[in-house]
Amino acid sequence: MDNIIDGKKIAKDLRGKIAEEVKTLDRPPGLAVILVGEDPASRVYVRNKELACIEAGFYSDKIKKSENITEEELLLEVDRLNDNPNIDGILVQLPLPKHIDSNKVLERISPLKDVDGFCSENIGKLMQNKPYLRPCTPQGVMTMLASAGVDVMGKNCVVIGASNIVGRPMAMELLNARGTVTICNSKTQDVAGKVRQADIVVAGVGIPKFVKGDWVKDGAIVIDVGINRLDDGTLCGDVDFDAIKGKAAGITPVPGGVGPMTIATLLENTLVAYKAKL
Ligand code: GUN
């Protein structure tokens, strides 16, 4: 159906464009990914990031650390990568073990190498509409919207979820594109009523099929950031795809929607950080 926004294809095209540009560079852009512990989902994400790097001609440094690493040791690892001239981007895969202060580790990454866009300097710049390195998932959503020909200006946008990784930066991206933005959190009253007003809905709550078919108005654009594993092992998003796909003007599938865009955007950001050094 032509209302499916095919993130897999948009991401592949973006990765292809990046790979072409990398061929013209004197040295490959370098991305370091730090993985702490054995979280199975994190291992899969990090492996996918590594494969995408290699395919695009990047230098990829995957650094695996034991669950028992101390905060100080991890901070020293970040310092080492901050000082390494062959590394343009640094990503610390979240979540970190409970004994480590994630915020302290993220803040230690040089803002010039913070390809996740999570440190306060980069978030502050996004907030002021003077963005530099931007969080990958929301930036990837903006790329998808542009690719699908969706103009955000003047639209009613409802973001469901207020996390630092997705909801908050997503709301800023939509505001910077001059949308009118409502952010829903777990205490929001009448989320359904808010979604019914929306021209663009972005869901990132981590609850399978949270957004119901009768919440979405005809012709809306629905972006599903959720990746939930059901008891039968299948993946499903935060929106009820089957109930919504017949009425939305555009909808992203799970898998094959936002997920591939996050990784392609990580490469895009690493290239931005590389070029800033030239
Ligand atoms: N864990 C889940 N999503 C992300 C992400 O976008 N970046 C990092 N570093 N960790 C994550």
Side-chain angles (χ1 to χ4, degrees):
M1 240 166 91
D2 64 359
N3 68 337
I4 306 296
I5 304 176
D6 186 350
K8 207 167 156 183
K9 159 105 181 39
I10 301 166
K12 186 164 183 273
D13 291 349
L14 179 56
R15 292 200 316 268
K17 220 176 82 197
I18 293 168
E20 283 307 309
E21 191 169 347
V22 168
K23 285 183 194 155
T24 70
L25 305 176
D26 296 338
R27 116 178 130 72
L31 175 67
V33 178
I34 302 180
L35 172 65
V36 180
E38 303 291 334
D39 179 71
S42 289
R43 284 172 62 157
V44 173
Y45 292 141
V46 167
R47 176 83 188 127
N48 288 339
K49 287 168 186 174
E50 190 186 17
L51 290 175
C53 271
I54 292 164
E55 186 206 64
F58 283 43
Y59 166 60
S60 164
D61 189 6
K62 181 165 115 184
I63 298 153
K64 275 196 86 227
K65 293 289 177 191
S66 132
E67 183 88 26
N68 302 320
I69 189 171
T70 66
E71 187 178 281
E72 198 48 39
E73 285 167 334
L74 188 54
L75 291 171
L76 288 174
E77 191 62 44
V78 172
D79 288 344
R80 193 177 65 75
L81 294 167
N82 280 337
D83 292 339
N84 182 339
N86 291 319
I87 294 297
D88 303 286
I90 303 168
L91 181 147
V92 178
Q93 186 66 31
L94 302 174
L96 289 171
K98 289 201 175 26
H99 66 278
I100 294 175
D101 180 346
S102 302
N103 197 45
K104 201 165 164 187
V105 175
L106 295 177
E107 291 294 337
R108 189 76 157 242
I109 299 170
S110 160
L112 300 172
K113 296 192 178 189
D114 169 36
V115 284
D116 249 336
F118 290 163
C119 78
S120 45
E121 184 172 322
N122 283 319
I123 287 291
K125 285 182 171 166
L126 179 69
M127 188 103 192
Q128 292 173 325
N129 200 10
K130 294 185 180 66
Y132 181 47
L133 293 167
R134 301 147 60 196
C136 297
T137 299
Q139 186 182 337
V141 170
M142 297 311 284
T143 305
M144 287 176 107
L145 290 173
S147 177
V150 177
D151 185 5
V152 175
M153 195 185 304
K155 298 277 168 38
N156 288 330
C157 307
V158 171
V159 177
I160 312 171
S163 69
N164 286 338
I165 294 181
V166 177
R168 287 163 194 262
M170 187 73 248
M172 279 305 128
E173 290 280 1
L174 292 163
L175 180 62
N176 290 346
R178 301 172 72 192
T180 302
V181 185
T182 303
I183 312 170
C184 301
N185 60 63
S186 60
K187 304 289 181 218
T188 298
Q189 294 176 30
D190 190 21
V191 178
K194 300 203 166 29
V195 172
R196 283 191 187 104
Q197 305 290 320
D199 304 304
I200 298 170
V201 183
V202 183
V205 277
I207 302 171
K209 300 186 187 179
F210 179 76
V211 178
K212 308 289 181 273
D214 65 342
W215 294 13
V216 173
K217 76 173 182 186
D218 284 348
I221 301 291
V222 180
I223 306 289
D224 191 347
V225 183
I227 304 180
N228 308 291
R229 195 169 287 280
L230 301 179
D231 289 340
D232 66 3
T234 57
L235 291 178
C236 122
D238 289 351
V239 315
D240 188 344
F241 182 87
D242 292 332
I244 294 169
K245 73 170 189 282
K247 59 199 308 205
I251 183 166
T252 62
V254 176
V258 174
M261 291 305 298
T262 298
I263 296 184
T265 307
L266 177 65
L267 301 184
E268 198 179 13
N269 279 352
T270 305
L271 193 54
V272 168
Y274 172 99
K275 287 194 214 163
K277 282 198 207 156
L278 296 179

